[in-house]
């Protein structure tokens, strides 16, 4: 057996571009955006009388008002739909930013703006208004591009 002189408990050091700070800032800002979304649902629960653990309102809630039921459900769904993409957003932002910090930060910011518009539009009670946030797809494309280029660069470096 070959012996190793390396300390098995030594930390790996990663040199990051100082611009990676923008990536960290966008990822941190996303936490505040998602807290804002959650607070909107909490306020809607109080306003429409939808008690936990119920996720969505039905005819026994909101005084039976169809309009209020739909509005509450749109507010809740906007938050839930955003949570469904959050892990991918964070992974793509943090990983893509390793090679392309400015692109990842700018693209991540575009996603956050799009998500805010999505939530505001969806929360009107008209599900079609969720399309206000379609700009988030442009940010997602930028994040995908940064990650694909990182993957290609790492694979190509093996040669």
């Amino acid at each position: 057996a070959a012996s190793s002189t390396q300390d098995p408990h030594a930390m790996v050091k990663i040199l990051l571009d100082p611009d990676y700070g923008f990536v960290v800032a966008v990822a941190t800002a996303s936490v505040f955006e998602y807290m804002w979304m959650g607070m909107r649902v909490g306020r809607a629960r109080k306003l429409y009388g939808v008690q936990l653990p119920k996720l969505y309102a039905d005819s026994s809630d909101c005084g039976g008002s169809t309009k209020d039921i739909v509005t509450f459900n749109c507010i809740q769904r906007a938050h839930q739909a955003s949570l469904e993409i959050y892990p991918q957003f964070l992974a793509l932002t943090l990983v893509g930013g390793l090679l392309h910090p400015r692109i990842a930060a700018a693209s991540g910011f575009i996603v956050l703006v799009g998500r805010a518009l999505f939530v505001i539009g969806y929360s009107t009670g008209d599900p079609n208004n969720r399309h206000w946030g379609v700009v988030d797809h442009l940010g997602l494309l930028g994040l995908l591009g940064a990650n694909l280029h990182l993957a290609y660069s790492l694979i190509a470096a093996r040669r």
Side-chain angles (χ1 to χ4, degrees):
S3 66
S4 173
T5 59
Q6 290 183 333
D7 179 358
H9 303 291
M11 292 186 58
V12 173
K13 292 182 182 180
I14 300 174
L15 295 177
L16 295 174
D17 184 316
D19 286 343
Y20 195 79
F22 295 118
V23 174
V24 174
V26 167
T28 303
S30 74
V31 173
F32 291 103
E33 181 172 67
Y34 278 74
M35 288 170 54
W36 166 74
M37 291 178 201
M39 289 187 291
R40 291 176 61 87
V41 174
R43 282 194 305 272
R45 285 190 178 284
K46 286 182 183 176
L47 178 64
Y48 297 111
V50 180
Q51 301 299 312
L52 286 169
K54 202 178 216 182
L55 276 180
Y56 295 100
D58 58 34
S59 60
S60 66
D61 299 305
C62 308
S65 165
T66 301
K67 181 181 182 291
D68 290 349
I69 291 167
V70 168
T71 300
F72 174 82
N73 288 342
C74 284
I75 294 167
Q76 168 64 19
R77 184 67 196 129
H79 183 229
Q80 187 67 38
S82 296
L83 287 171
E84 290 166 3
I85 68 155
Y86 194 47
Q88 296 91 329
F89 165 78
L90 283 176
L92 291 171
T93 301
L94 295 171
V95 173
L98 292 171
L99 184 60
H100 298 291
R102 289 182 183 192
I103 291 171
S107 297
F109 180 77
I110 291 168
V111 171
L112 294 182
V113 169
R115 275 287 113 180
L117 293 171
F118 171 84
V119 167
I120 292 166
Y122 210 160
S123 296
T124 63
D126 180 354
N128 290 322
N129 290 342
R130 72 189 188 283
H131 299 297
W132 294 358
V134 74
V135 68
D136 74 341
H137 290 45
L138 296 175
L140 181 60
L141 287 173
L143 291 172
L144 288 169
N147 278 268
L148 288 170
H149 187 249
L150 172 61
Y152 173 79
S153 298
L154 291 171
I155 293 166
R158 295 178 57 225
R159 296 182 189 160

